[in-house]
Amino acid sequence: MARAHWGCCPWLVLLCACAWGHPKPADLGGQDVRNCSTNPPYLPVTVVNTTVSLTALRQQMQTQNLSAYIIPDTDAHMNEYIGQHDERHAWITGFTGSAGTAVVTTKEAAVWTHSRYWTQAERQMDCNWELHKEVGTTPIVTWLLTEIPAGGCVGFDPFLLSIDTWESYNLALQGSNRQLVSITTNLVDLVWGSERPPVPNQPIYALPEAFTGSTWQEKVSGVRSQMQKHQKAPTAVLLSALEETAWLFNLRASDIPYNPFFYSYTLLTDSSIRLFANKSRFSSETLSYLNSSCTGPMCVQIEDYSQVRDSIQAYALGDVRIWIGTSYTMYGIYEVIPKEKLVTDTYSPVMMTKAVKNSKEQALLKASHVRDAVAVIRYLVWLEKNVPKGTVDEFSGAELVDKFRGEEQFSSGPSFETISASGLNAALAHYSPTKELNRKLSSDEMYLLDSGGQYWDGTTDITRTVHWGTPSAFQKEAYTRVLIGNIDLSRLIFPAATSGRMVEAFARRALWDAGLNYGHGTGHGIGNFLCVHEWPVGFQSNNIAMAKGMFTSIEPGYYKDGEFGIRLEDVALVVEAKTKYPGSYLTFEVVSFVPYDRNLIDVSLLSPEHLQYLNRYYQTIREKVGPELQRRQLLEEFKWLQQHTEPLAARAPDTASWASVLVVSTLAILSWSV
């Protein structure tokens, strides 16, 4: 599952209603539990008292002559997940939801957030804060115009606003006699003081060559080649997204939850390489790997992370043209580069190159999915035995599947917060349990597991929905229609360079036929030990066209409010399609290898083509995962796999002829020999 853009997927508007991702525990509904009109006010025990911190923040605002101060819930690199060091929004408001913007004036304080988090915000924020149940810059600016006087200044940290977000605020305030003021020293940080968690200092390490598709020198040469061919002749490329620098140099660390990145920027010219990071975190071996002791065009000069703005500003004084990807560059960098010296594209050349995996990267990612399938199958087998005992809840289940993944070779933790949802909780597409708030798993309910792992050779993301008892006819129909949508898109043949948005409806067609639908996106890119939601690949309108070598998830779903949820997610590689006549066509090769739940499939809804595809897929699972289970003496899991990948035969409706049944069954059997 995925969310629209924080880092691995760009924020195109402030506080977008994210279509992709795995946020923190979702809003569970209910009315505002706060009563701020009583004396004293009634507040739940979960609220955080922010009076002292707000008073201190307003004192800092006064020293800067500010009427208001904007506090976004992001970091300087628009990461999807942010480290504790950057959780300014949560610290100042008490609200820990993963989407929100706070604004503080001299007398008022308010938070704007998505509907998923309304109840959570009401349970965590004290009466110093108003909750606004809207998102986007427009309602924030409307509120500001009523709260601050003409001539007032609205302060913000330029490293926490993207270019697009700054432009939307600036445009909305034009002509209002209120001014946006960029302040590079974050005022919340000043108030937070010594209580603020330190910047991570774990080692930054180089991936072994066996786990990289190309050397960093080859990647640098490739980017420089693109610079030389660019019609605007940029003299430098500036990389602001953490995944860009990590990919370019084959370096990894653990600064960001679920993502193996480190705080950094890179300025690459035709004759120099400047990496802005904490040099003390590089071992002597890693510095040698980067050729950091020399000054030539293939020598990486390590400069202090905090100096990036000054260094870029100084470089921009020369006869230069700096190439940036606007989707990831923050206003704090953008504002110091003269506009005539900018070369802008939506995505940097590194982001575009990284989206297409070479043959070695493809093989690595496929291998990680085989081991990942072993972990998921171990978990499903364990659930079948233990759920009937009534001893498993959503949270303990999530912990166990993470544990199984951690036992796999080359594991480096989960790739996002596991969505482990039973019954009505699964109807919340982004629900994740907590130790305090969870539901027992039951044989009488559907269970949805959306989880993934980080491995040195790849990143995984897979969703399976199961039912251990007797599902209703509607549950089986809905599940089967979701499965048909997954199959229809996975087996689709389409012209090369087709936008994912143009084919996305194939995943919905079987649901639409019955008047059903789902409210999230259909897929997202995925990285090689990088982002689980890797931009700019996917099926949204702002994704780039599909190309051979890209990986994307395919994940249709259906959610019955208050009852159950279904999602079936696989990762697939874009490959050349074999067509009857010559042409440039593409299709998908699924690389997730866990069978679907036979208990939920209504085979009477499947066409002969669906059955043939499904049985071929099951044969592939046997061939890929079966030997690994046997090699590791996981005999119970191997037996389970054999049972759950038996060929499916058609069960024709009553009106179908015996001839139709014979044709479908024959196709299913013949598929094993293909």
Side-chain angles (χ1 to χ4, degrees):
M1 192 67 182
R3 116 169 122 199
H5 176 119
W6 287 27
C8 294
C9 0
W11 273 29
L12 299 178
V13 294
L14 181 71
L15 276 179
C16 57
C18 295
W20 290 117
H22 311 271
K24 297 171 184 176
D27 178 14
L28 301 179
Q31 298 181 352
D32 193 339
V33 294
R34 301 181 301 172
N35 187 345
C36 296
S37 61
T38 61
N39 188 16
Y42 171 76
L43 297 172
V45 296
T46 49
V47 303
V48 176
N49 188 330
T50 62
T51 299
V52 173
S53 56
L54 275 175
T55 299
L57 178 61
R58 288 181 172 124
Q59 290 172 351
Q60 293 293 336
M61 290 167 56
Q62 187 175 8
T63 65
Q64 300 285 343
N65 195 29
L66 297 179
S67 300
Y69 190 65
I70 300 172
I71 309 159
D73 185 17
T74 188
D75 65 11
H77 303 273
M78 290 193 293
N79 286 299
E80 179 176 4
Y81 305 101
I82 62 174
Q84 293 181 340
H85 179 77
D86 289 313
E87 291 180 345
R88 302 173 179 89
H89 182 278
W91 183 81
I92 196 68
T93 66
F95 167 51
T96 60
S98 59
T101 296
V103 179
V104 177
T105 69
T106 56
K107 295 182 179 179
E108 305 293 336
V111 166
W112 287 257
T113 190
H114 191 271
S115 59
R116 288 199 303 271
Y117 303 105
W118 292 347
T119 298
Q120 183 180 346
E122 289 159 352
R123 290 172 178 170
Q124 293 180 321
M125 296 193 307
D126 64 12
C127 290
N128 287 309
W129 294 90
E130 302 172 12
L131 175 62
H132 291 258
K133 300 180 178 182
E134 301 171 285
V135 294
T137 56
T138 299
I140 294 175
V141 171
T142 300
W143 183 82
L144 279 170
L145 293 178
T146 64
E147 293 294 330
I148 65 175
C153 294
V154 180
F156 68 97
D157 181 341
F159 283 95
L160 300 183
L161 288 191
S162 68
I163 298 170
D164 285 343
T165 302
W166 174 82
E167 288 179 343
S168 65
Y169 276 120
N170 191 51
L171 182 63
L173 287 172
Q174 279 184 5
S176 69
N177 196 20
R178 280 87 167 174
Q179 182 182 358
L180 274 177
V181 179
S182 171
I183 302 172
T184 56
T185 300
N186 190 283
L187 302 189
V188 174
D189 292 350
L190 294 178
V191 176
W192 205 348
S194 60
E195 294 181 11
R196 186 185 181 198
V199 177
N201 61 0
Q202 297 91 343
I204 298 168
Y205 60 93
L207 275 178
E209 189 174 344
F211 299 102
T212 65
S214 307
T215 66
W216 71 259
Q217 291 91 340
E218 291 169 333
K219 293 178 179 180
V220 165
S221 296
V223 175
R224 283 173 171 161
S225 176
Q226 293 184 58
M227 292 166 58
Q228 293 167 3
K229 295 175 182 177
H230 198 291
Q231 61 180 0
K232 295 185 179 180
T235 61
V237 171
L238 174 64
L239 306 178
S240 294
L242 301 188
E243 60 184 300
E244 294 176 310
T245 290
W247 176 87
L248 183 65
F249 298 112
N250 297 324
L251 295 173
R252 300 292 190 272
S254 56
D255 295 9
I256 307 299
Y258 308 114
N259 292 330
F261 306 148
F262 57 97
Y263 291 107
S264 57
Y265 295 89
T266 297
L267 184 67
L268 173 64
T269 75
D270 58 355
S271 60
S272 67
I273 308 170
R274 299 163 73 180
L275 169 57
F276 297 88
N278 181 351
K279 189 171 184 177
S280 68
R281 298 176 59 191
F282 295 86
S283 67
S284 57
E285 291 81 8
T286 305
L287 291 174
S288 176
Y289 161 83
L290 293 170
N291 298 332
S292 64
S293 61
C294 59
T295 58
M298 280 298 180
C299 303
V300 181
Q301 302 301 303
I302 312 294
E303 300 189 22
D304 192 76
Y305 174 83
S306 64
Q307 297 302 308
V308 63
R309 177 179 161 108
D310 291 342
S311 294
I312 297 299
Q313 189 170 20
Y315 177 78
L317 294 175
D319 181 17
V320 299
R321 290 163 299 284
I322 303 172
W323 191 3
I324 65 170
T326 56
S327 289
Y328 283 87
T329 306
M330 294 305 224
Y331 186 71
I333 299 294
Y334 179 80
E335 69 174 334
V336 301
I337 305 174
K339 302 306 168 279
E340 68 274 11
K341 296 185 178 183
L342 276 171
V343 176
T344 60
D345 280 310
T346 304
Y347 305 108
S348 77
V350 164
M351 199 65 73
M352 296 295 287
T353 303
K354 180 169 58 65
V356 179
K357 277 59 175 175
N358 63 28
S359 58
K360 185 179 178 184
E361 290 168 329
Q362 293 174 29
L364 288 166
L365 240 172
K366 289 180 182 180
S368 71
H369 279 78
V370 172
R371 298 193 310 280
D372 194 73
V374 171
V376 176
I377 289 170
R378 288 180 66 194
Y379 179 61
L380 293 175
V381 171
W382 184 89
L383 287 177
E384 282 191 8
K385 294 186 297 183
N386 288 277
V387 168
K389 300 176 185 177
T391 58
V392 186
D393 62 51
E394 296 165 329
F395 185 74
S396 66
E399 286 190 316
L400 184 61
V401 74
D402 288 347
K403 175 179 179 292
F404 284 155
R405 278 198 170 92
E407 294 170 359
E408 292 300 314
Q409 192 176 23
F410 310 131
S411 172
S412 189
S415 57
F416 57 92
E417 184 178 22
T418 296
I419 297 174
S420 172
S422 182
L424 57 85
N425 286 342
L428 301 163
H430 300 97
Y431 168 85
S432 288
T434 65
K435 189 173 183 178
E436 298 75 27
L437 186 64
N438 58 71
R439 184 180 179 89
K440 287 281 187 183
L441 272 59
S442 167
S443 298
D444 299 322
E445 293 184 331
M446 278 188 170
Y447 174 63
L448 186 154
L449 176 74
D450 185 349
S451 61
Q454 291 284 12
Y455 305 92
W456 281 16
D457 48 353
T459 303
T460 68
D461 185 3
I462 185 171
T463 307
R464 290 294 182 264
T465 305
V466 297
H467 196 303
W468 298 285
T470 305
S472 69
F474 177 61
Q475 287 175 330
K476 291 185 71 170
E477 179 184 359
Y479 182 97
T480 307
R481 290 186 180 278
V482 170
L483 175 60
I484 290 171
N486 182 299
I487 293 172
D488 284 347
L489 186 51
S490 297
R491 64 189 290 268
L492 182 69
I493 295 175
F494 53 94
T498 296
S499 166
R501 187 64 175 171
M502 298 296 292
V503 301
E504 192 255 10
F506 283 88
R508 301 178 185 266
R509 184 173 59 180
L511 289 164
W512 287 352
D513 284 344
L516 306 176
N517 202 359
Y518 55 93
H520 56 72
T522 296
H524 56 83
I526 195 162
N528 281 81
F529 192 27
L530 290 167
C531 281
V532 71
H533 308 131
E534 184 172 84
W535 221 250
V537 177
F539 296 95
Q540 300 182 61
S541 58
N542 51 359
N543 290 135
I544 60 177
M546 291 290 177
K548 176 184 173 183
M550 291 179 174
F551 282 83
T552 182
S553 69
I554 295 175
E555 49 183 298
Y558 174 72
Y559 309 90
K560 177 68 173 174
D561 223 10
E563 294 187 24
F564 64 87
I566 300 163
R567 187 161 61 253
L568 297 175
E569 176 184 17
D570 296 307
V571 171
L573 169 64
V574 182
V575 297
E576 289 182 0
K578 297 178 181 178
T579 54
K580 181 177 180 181
Y581 300 105
S584 184
Y585 287 83
L586 302 172
T587 189
F588 297 105
E589 175 191 335
V590 173
V591 301
S592 300
F593 300 118
V594 178
Y596 308 112
D597 187 5
R598 302 170 77 89
N599 191 35
L600 282 165
I601 299 175
D602 182 350
V603 293
S604 70
L605 294 176
L606 300 178
S607 70
E609 292 78 15
H610 292 137
L611 277 169
Q612 187 178 40
Y613 174 91
L614 202 50
N615 287 326
R616 283 178 173 170
Y617 174 56
Y618 280 177
Q619 176 65 9
T620 301
I621 292 176
R622 284 188 169 188
E623 293 171 353
K624 298 288 187 183
V625 183
E628 182 68 11
L629 293 172
Q630 289 178 305
R631 184 185 68 81
R632 292 167 54 179
Q633 294 295 300
L634 294 171
L635 302 184
E636 185 180 11
E637 287 80 2
F638 179 75
K639 181 180 178 181
W640 182 95
L641 180 69
Q642 294 297 103
Q643 292 172 344
H644 285 73
T645 54
E646 285 291 329
L648 285 165
R651 186 182 73 249
D654 294 339
T655 56
S657 67
W658 283 105
S660 297
V661 177
L662 181 62
V663 168
V664 174
S665 300
T666 303
L667 278 171
I669 294 168
L670 287 175
S671 70
W672 287 95
S673 61
V674 176

